[in-house]
Amino acid sequence: MGYFCIFAAQIHQKRIKVTMAEYNHRAIEEKWQKHWADHKVFKAEIDPGRPKFYVLDMFPYPSGAGLHVGHPLGYIASDIVSRFKRNKGFNVLHPMGFDAFGLPAEQYAIQTGQHPAITTEQNIKRYKEQLKGIGLSYDWDKEVQTCDPKYYKWTQWIFSQLFQSWYNHDSAKAEPIESLIQQFKKSGNAGINAARDEDVPAFTASDWNSWSESQKESMLLKYRLTYPADALVNWCPALGTVLANDEVKDGFSERGGYPVERKKMRQWMMRITAYADRLVGNLAKLDWSESMKEMQTNWIGKSYGCELDFKVDSHDITLTCFTTRPDTIFGVTYMVLAPEHELIGTLTTPDRKEEVDAYVQKAVNRSERERMSEVKTVSGVFTGSYVINPFTNEKVQLWIADYVLAGYGTGVVMAVPSSDDRDFRFATYYGLPIKRVIGGTENLSDPTEIKYGKMINSGFITGMDSKEAVRATIDFAQKNGFGKEKINYRIRDAVFSRQRYWGEPVPVYFTEDGIPRLIPDNELPLELPPVNEYLPTETGEPPLGRAEDWLYKNKHPYELTTMPGWAGSSWYFLRYMDAHNDRKMVSPDAVKYWNSVDLYIGGTEHATGHLLYSRFWNMFLFDRGYVFHEEPFQKLVNQGMIQGRSNTVYKMKDSNKFISSGLKDSYDTIELHVDVNMVDNDKLDMEAFKKWRPEYANATFELENGEFKCGYLVEKMSKSKYNTVTPDAMIEKYGADTLRMYEMFLGPIELSKPWNTHGIDGVAKFLRKLWALFHDNTGNFIVTNDKPTAEEYKALYKTIQKVEQDINNLSFNTSVSEFMICVNTLTQLKCHKKDVLEKLLIVLSPFAPHIAEELWEKLGHKESIIKAAYPEFNPEYVKEDSFEYPIMINGKLRTKITFELGKNPREIEAETIANEVVQKWLEGKAPKKVVVVPGKIVNVVV
RNA sequence: GCCGAAGUGGCGGAAUUGGUAGACGCGCACGACUCAAAAUCGUGUUCUCUCGGGAGUGUGGGUUCGAUUCCCACCUUCGGUACCA
């Protein structure tokens, strides 16, 4: 590898000396990056006199591998917008920081004993160097790092605010907990419509007032927006921590891919469910992609329906089920409980006990993964009890089955085999009755094929339409007191505890009664204590249990779990506005001015994690008056992933001979990955390959057409596949400006595509051409003060117009094309005019800022091009003289007619076109008949 | 299974509200300059053909004078989600 780099660099330098003597990207880029940093050119300060624009990148987790060429795609796009907006006169806030708490640094610490802060710091340093090398216009004075105590002081402070708040559904916002206490004192909890735990008993004011401090506190925990609970969580034994739902994919951890199991543990929770309705409802107002909104909508999973009460036969028990299809109530032929349901013991008849116990045991012990892999299999058991359908007074069997989830609705389902697939499969398997209630299903072998229609066999709703029947049944149930309208959500409260070291400590300690108490704001931050090892303790406590003498006021134990990765990232966009404020999370003046993010660029992978949690926290802070906009991210763009393009060679088995790709089928070969840096356009550099590994030193090659061709694969970029391309290598070879433009040229930013270094030459050529156009053979800068011709202006203004449109649509690939066309045209016209260059540079500067600054300076400007005003588009020069419009003759022939400028064909009266045709078509031979198709086209009959 | 996005030359990708499909770049071929190579510049490059044309934007239909664009059905790829009642 080392050998190869030297080799490649030599080849490359030779080329540069000969061909690009003048355009020295290294010197230019170094010069301007230093200039920008020294003069703090991108510093953004509150300026009420200027309009603001906030452009945000999703800040990275600084991993040990550094950035590869795929990471900066979104950063370059947002940088172009930032620089463009600055030229347009906006005061642009464009910050960067680091999401620095996280598992990889901690795993590394476990292996090496090195404090994660040290590796994190090293990685951040490397990231910053790489980012600066690309010439991104960040205001580094606003940098934040989530692991910095000065930052996480405020993460802890937000936690405290959540702890001291409850959600009032009547006012539809979070309120201070004091207002709840006042109501409890006055009238108990009757009439309070709060987001709270399910198991809250009713109590009166005198109950409340008679309670001890501990009793009151335990009750308040059921209302607070963050609260401890014994929750069934996703436990990952390999990582030794719990994971949030969005961190689990198909039963495996998203990071590391370790198996995850269900386990009941005491956890801090975030009452995000309180905000479910607003989180869904607000999506309509946001300028996000439909797919992104869809993902969040599905994740929140709002469904309309009702709860219905079923009395259990010969018990004084009522089972409540949730259904979205109360209209099918007359088709209920049995009822099902989740295996975790708490009443199973009571409801199982003695003769069924043994079988039920065995089933429940099996179902509950099964891991999430097993349960998922057996999705389509049917299993269940009869309890021996019966329930009574409140609409028909019919007795139906009560079953237990694992297709019913304890966590959704009430854990009880009314089964309608004739309209639900799962119920149908279950009923068929166990021979339970099936009663058809929807018209049209009478003769179907699978009645679930028709889900909506006219109700049949359904008592008083027979003949109604499904929709109508839903309304009627809900009304009926409400009137008779055995049901109520209900909206159910799929989303669960978020688990907020991690059994980990490298995260924000939860600012809580416990008093003797086991009640959590907040650490006062003025004592924050609660800093991470040193520990001798980053593993859980022998007694199974989180790593913080190892911290010696770590007690609040020397006597109260602290909370030992830490916050999850998403805590720090859920509000960082606010901190950037006022990054160094040590008295407030962010000053009201700063939030008032910068308000919300105008453009947010990042990957789709955060749809149900970061982007949802951030909206939740921001909404909460809005409710409590700390920020002034409900939604944090107005416009969101998801950049695609850049995959790696791996190259492979085919080695003959039992030989050191390699076969060129096209010939491989005639031999028995094995496919091996080779470093893509030794391959150019799938042609292998054989000398470099021989030096790559000692075992290949005497390799031989079977060539085709005199060269050795490699195969290729599109895969994730990774070191082990030798397909990583770093921005550093590209910048060294081609320069940052070329890299920036090439990444944009690759295609629409939303699209995922493999990286292919090959096409970068085209962009590099463009910049060299631009440079060459304004320099003579000896390297002297040449511009003239002549007034540009109309033709030259046309080339320029077309580009100005197109690029401005493109930036507004974020379609940068076509802008790059446009620049190429412009420079090619100017080269052909031999245009060295100052006026043209000046305007072109301003338009180009967001894309290729270094070369633009350099030429700008050569033009004699003292101020950075950042401060230059974006040139106005002058339509005078771009006007076409005429346009052509297709004409139909005799309904068949087609020709074109040329029209004067300024008239869109659709704006011209069809008759006018017809007249033109009469005059111009077939000179001397007037059409016999002109047919006008209204609003469309003229059909001329000759 | 459900939801969403997308299918255009050898490749990445262009194409306003339906109006000359393939912009721009890569690659390839030829030419100029070179002793030569690189670089640079120029020409050509969807396929096919009997050189007049014919076919062509995943497939099959439809609407239209006209469809990459709109409608219906299907196929493929990618992303999300999955016993959510």
Side-chain angles (χ1 to χ4, degrees):
Chain A
M1 182 65 195
Y3 274 116
F4 164 67
C5 287
I6 295 163
F7 182 67
Q10 278 171 349
I11 291 180
H12 167 64
Q13 276 185 355
K14 219 193 229 162
R15 187 194 296 175
I16 282 168
K17 261 178 212 153
V18 182
T19 64
M20 318 201 301
E22 305 95 342
Y23 175 43
N24 181 345
H25 61 78
R26 282 192 198 81
I28 292 171
E29 286 169 5
E30 202 176 306
K31 170 181 167 187
W32 287 103
Q33 283 168 16
K34 185 166 184 306
H35 177 93
W36 295 330
D38 290 351
H39 296 82
K40 294 190 188 295
V41 171
F42 308 117
K43 195 164 174 58
E45 273 169 307
I46 298 174
D47 178 359
R50 284 163 69 207
K52 68 92 191 185
F53 199 82
Y54 187 177
V55 186
L56 182 66
D57 291 309
M58 287 188 185
F59 66 166
Y61 173 81
S63 81
L67 293 172
H68 64 64
V69 108
H71 293 116
L73 184 73
Y75 303 156
I76 295 168
S78 66
D79 196 58
I80 289 171
V81 174
S82 302
R83 287 172 180 271
F84 170 76
K85 286 285 178 183
R86 285 193 194 99
N87 289 146
K88 279 277 180 183
F90 286 86
N91 188 17
V92 175
L93 176 59
H94 186 41
M96 182 44 95
F98 299 93
D99 186 14
F101 274 131
L103 287 179
E106 181 159 353
Q107 297 291 60
Y108 189 72
I110 291 170
Q111 288 159 22
T112 62
Q114 195 174 37
H115 196 284
I118 298 169
T119 37
T120 303
E121 200 192 321
Q122 288 167 351
N123 294 346
I124 288 177
K125 191 165 165 269
R126 165 110 176 92
Y127 266 59
K128 279 172 82 166
E129 279 168 9
Q130 288 185 296
L131 292 170
K132 287 181 178 175
I134 301 166
L136 301 171
S137 63
Y138 296 124
D139 175 0
W140 282 107
D141 284 356
K142 298 221 165 24
E143 175 186 354
V144 300
Q145 298 179 4
T146 55
C147 65
D148 179 353
K150 290 196 194 90
Y151 177 88
Y152 71 67
K153 168 182 178 175
W154 298 106
T155 312
Q156 292 172 336
W157 178 83
I158 295 171
F159 175 91
S160 298
Q161 294 303 308
L162 284 154
F163 187 81
Q164 297 173 76
S165 302
W166 65 292
Y167 196 86
N168 186 346
H169 279 305
D170 285 336
S171 62
K173 60 186 251 199
E175 295 181 8
I177 200 82
E178 285 72 34
S179 74
L180 185 69
I181 295 172
Q182 289 309 315
Q183 291 197 51
F184 284 171
K185 267 189 197 162
K186 244 193 291 171
S187 46
N189 68 350
I192 295 177
N193 187 8
R196 55 164 173 79
D197 291 1
E198 290 292 326
D199 61 336
V200 180
F203 59 85
T204 63
S206 54
D207 289 340
W208 173 264
N209 293 322
S210 70
W211 285 348
S212 70
E213 177 68 15
S214 297
Q215 283 174 308
K216 286 179 180 167
E217 277 300 319
S218 331
M219 180 52 69
L220 287 174
L221 285 177
K222 296 175 188 294
Y223 287 83
R224 295 181 190 275
L225 287 183
T226 179
Y227 60 97
D230 286 316
L232 209 49
V233 295
N234 305 302
W235 172 253
C236 180
L239 293 172
T241 190
V242 303
L243 299 168
N245 285 340
D246 64 275
E247 292 168 319
V248 182
K249 297 269 181 271
D250 303 326
F252 290 88
S253 66
E254 195 178 30
R255 286 208 174 191
Y258 303 108
V260 173
E261 51 192 57
R262 305 288 280 172
K263 192 174 171 183
K264 205 155 205 172
M265 288 179 89
R266 193 149 185 87
Q267 302 292 324
W268 282 91
M269 307 290 287
M270 283 281 163
R271 214 179 288 281
I272 190 171
T273 48
Y275 284 88
D277 198 38
R278 279 163 73 188
L279 287 169
V280 180
N282 280 0
L283 283 173
K285 294 188 273 183
L286 300 178
D287 187 1
W288 292 19
S289 71
E290 283 310 307
S291 64
M292 185 55 72
K293 290 184 185 180
E294 192 75 29
M295 272 187 235
Q296 290 209 343
T297 307
N298 290 342
W299 187 260
I300 296 166
K302 184 177 183 175
S303 24
Y304 300 85
C306 70
E307 283 186 348
L308 294 173
D309 298 334
F310 284 64
K311 283 211 170 65
V312 182
D313 191 38
S314 61
H315 275 91
D316 191 16
I317 292 173
T318 301
L319 288 175
T320 303
C321 72
F322 173 75
T323 179
T324 55
R325 296 296 306 276
D327 55 316
T328 62
I329 184 77
F330 290 89
V332 173
T333 53
Y334 64 103
M335 192 163 218
V336 204
L337 298 177
E340 292 89 353
H341 201 278
E342 49 202 8
L343 289 175
I344 285 175
T346 327
L347 294 175
T348 305
T349 54
D351 57 313
R352 309 285 312 154
K353 191 174 182 313
E354 202 177 320
E355 204 181 328
V356 167
D357 284 354
Y359 180 77
V360 170
Q361 264 309 316
K362 197 178 134 230
V364 171
N365 283 342
R366 247 186 331 160
S367 73
E368 191 75 341
R369 193 154 44 96
E370 286 167 320
R371 211 160 151 164
M372 274 200 244
S373 61
E374 294 167 25
V375 159
K376 293 292 169 212
T377 60
V378 175
S379 75
V381 62
F382 177 44
T383 59
S385 286
Y386 292 82
V387 295
I388 296 158
N389 184 334
F391 282 72
T392 60
N393 289 322
E394 245 178 315
K395 254 170 68 170
V396 297
Q397 294 189 348
L398 179 64
W399 282 66
I400 296 165
D402 64 2
Y403 79 84
V404 177
L405 305 176
Y408 183 78
T410 57
V412 182
V413 166
M414 59 174 231
V416 186
S418 62
S419 71
D420 183 281
D421 304 337
R422 293 152 304 168
D423 296 345
F424 179 71
R425 242 183 296 131
F426 194 83
T428 313
Y429 188 82
Y430 286 106
L432 291 158
I434 297 168
K435 195 178 152 196
R436 290 156 203 245
V437 288
I438 290 169
T441 60
E442 296 91 332
N443 301 318
L444 295 175
S445 58
D446 180 357
T448 64
E449 280 169 21
I450 297 176
K451 300 248 150 95
Y452 299 93
K454 258 200 162 70
M455 306 310 301
I456 54 168
N457 308 323
S458 292
F460 72 97
I461 55 169
T462 301
M464 288 185 189
D465 200 61
S466 302
K467 221 177 190 176
E468 210 183 330
V470 168
R471 194 65 259 161
T473 41
I474 294 176
D475 289 346
F476 185 82
Q478 296 200 131
K479 209 169 73 194
N480 292 285
F482 51 76
K484 59 169 191 271
E485 197 164 4
K486 167 107 189 188
I487 293 169
N488 228 325
Y489 297 95
R490 195 189 83 109
I491 193 172
R492 306 263 69 95
D493 278 345
V495 180
F496 196 67
S497 289
R498 297 291 182 272
Q499 286 63 27
R500 282 277 163 169
Y501 176 77
W502 192 229
E504 300 88 344
V506 176
V508 157
Y509 65 93
F510 292 89
T511 47
E512 290 75 5
D513 51 10
I515 304 273
R517 313 277 168 158
L518 279 182
I519 291 165
D521 289 352
N522 60 15
E523 292 173 32
L524 296 178
L526 171 62
E527 293 200 31
L528 266 177
V531 292
N532 54 5
E533 227 186 323
Y534 303 97
L535 286 168
T537 64
E538 285 69 26
T539 54
E541 283 182 323
L544 285 186
R546 293 179 179 272
E548 276 177 42
D549 302 324
W550 196 52
L551 296 167
Y552 182 66
K553 305 256 192 234
N554 287 319
K555 65 177 189 203
H556 300 296
Y558 283 113
E559 168 65 44
L560 296 180
T561 63
T562 51
M563 298 189 196
W566 56 265
S569 60
S570 291
W571 73 283
Y572 75 109
F573 47 91
L574 295 170
R575 187 63 177 173
Y576 281 140
M577 298 172 183
D578 192 10
H580 304 292
N581 195 331
D582 57 3
R583 304 188 26 225
K584 284 201 157 77
M585 167 186 86
V586 50
S587 78
D589 285 346
V591 195
K592 266 191 193 118
Y593 182 71
W594 296 114
N595 203 344
S596 60
V597 175
D598 296 285
L599 175 64
Y600 195 20
I601 298 187
T604 27
E605 65 272 22
H606 299 106
T608 52
H610 162 64
L611 286 167
L612 202 56
Y613 297 130
S614 297
R615 293 182 60 217
F616 160 43
W617 276 28
N618 191 81
M619 233 175 244
F620 164 74
L621 292 168
F622 170 77
D623 285 352
R624 296 298 314 272
Y626 298 114
V627 306
F628 310 108
H629 202 285
E630 200 176 354
E631 286 292 338
F633 316 121
Q634 273 318 297
K635 183 176 172 70
L636 174 74
V637 172
N638 303 113
Q639 96 269 19
M641 286 251 293
I642 291 196
Q643 295 126 307
R645 190 176 184 283
S646 317
N647 276 112
T648 53
V649 290
Y650 304 91
K651 181 180 176 292
M652 269 177 78
K653 280 188 181 152
D654 314 316
S655 153
N656 216 2
K657 186 166 188 179
F658 293 82
I659 310 298
S660 186
S661 171
L663 310 168
K664 69 169 191 293
D665 292 339
S666 2
Y667 299 89
D668 189 13
T669 57
I670 32 174
E671 191 176 38
L672 299 167
H673 276 85
V674 286
D675 194 319
V676 291
N677 293 298
M678 300 188 297
V679 181
D680 184 22
N681 194 22
D682 292 337
K683 260 179 276 177
L684 180 69
D685 182 334
M686 289 174 276
E687 291 310 309
F689 179 74
K690 284 184 182 176
K691 287 175 187 162
W692 188 40
R693 292 275 171 81
E695 63 264 37
Y696 301 145
N698 54 4
T700 53
F701 303 93
E702 169 118 0
L703 309 179
E704 52 181 318
N705 306 325
E707 52 195 32
F708 189 90
K709 283 277 191 185
C710 298
Y712 74 89
L713 297 163
V714 173
E715 309 171 285
K716 216 176 156 176
M717 263 198 197
S718 102
K719 276 187 170 170
S720 64
K721 305 218 160 63
Y722 306 110
N723 62 358
T724 29
V725 181
T726 62
D728 317 53
M730 292 295 107
I731 289 168
E732 169 60 22
K733 194 164 175 186
Y734 299 99
D737 286 338
T738 304
L739 174 69
R740 290 167 65 105
M741 291 196 86
Y742 183 57
E743 292 223 5
M744 293 302 101
F745 185 64
L746 239 35
I749 49 168
E750 302 91 337
L751 241 65
S752 289
K753 56 235 151 186
W755 176 263
N756 186 355
T757 303
H758 208 65
I760 201 169
D761 278 332
V763 175
K765 213 183 280 178
F766 156 74
L767 288 176
R768 269 183 259 141
K769 267 186 194 170
L770 170 70
W771 186 269
L773 181 58
F774 293 95
H775 290 85
D776 63 18
N777 293 337
T778 53
N780 292 319
F781 186 60
I782 41 162
V783 279
T784 65
N785 286 319
D786 304 339
K787 188 172 159 42
T789 64
E791 210 178 358
E792 289 161 350
Y793 267 141
K794 185 176 172 180
L796 173 70
Y797 281 110
K798 220 178 109 239
T799 303
I800 293 175
Q801 180 192 34
K802 177 83 170 111
V803 170
E804 187 164 350
Q805 274 172 12
D806 284 347
I807 293 180
N808 288 326
N809 302 328
L810 302 173
S811 95
F812 304 108
N813 53 331
T814 47
S815 297
V816 178
S817 297
E818 194 58 40
F819 283 123
M820 291 177 177
I821 296 168
C822 184
V823 167
N824 280 342
T825 311
L826 294 178
T827 304
Q828 271 163 28
L829 297 171
K830 296 195 172 59
C831 170
H832 319 287
K833 290 167 187 167
K834 185 178 176 184
D835 193 26
V836 171
L837 178 60
E838 210 162 48
K839 291 195 169 84
L840 181 64
L841 284 180
I842 298 170
V843 179
L844 179 69
S845 67
F847 294 82
H850 308 87
I851 193 172
E853 288 272 25
E854 180 70 15
L855 292 172
W856 185 251
E857 192 189 49
K858 287 191 177 206
L859 281 170
H861 294 282
K862 299 245 156 45
E863 281 265 82
S864 165
I865 198 165
I866 302 300
K867 310 255 163 84
Y870 199 83
E872 286 286 316
F873 164 62
N874 188 342
E876 267 308 298
Y877 293 98
V878 183
K879 271 190 193 166
E880 298 291 338
D881 306 337
S882 60
F883 61 88
E884 289 181 329
Y885 202 65
I887 300 292
M888 249 195 43
I889 309 295
N890 287 342
K892 267 188 202 167
L893 299 168
R894 274 208 289 163
T895 184
K896 276 167 226 156
I897 188 159
T898 306
F899 286 95
E900 293 292 307
L901 178 72
K903 297 173 196 159
N904 185 304
R906 276 160 205 79
E907 290 164 8
I908 301 172
E909 285 291 311
E911 239 172 301
T912 315
I913 300 178
N915 287 333
E916 296 276 350
V917 173
V918 173
Q919 285 166 25
K920 293 187 180 178
W921 175 247
L922 298 176
E923 285 188 74
K925 251 173 136 190
K928 281 182 196 152
K929 196 178 158 197
V930 177
V931 178
V932 178
V933 181
K936 285 183 178 172
I937 198 163
V938 268
N939 185 0
V940 184
V941 181
V942 188

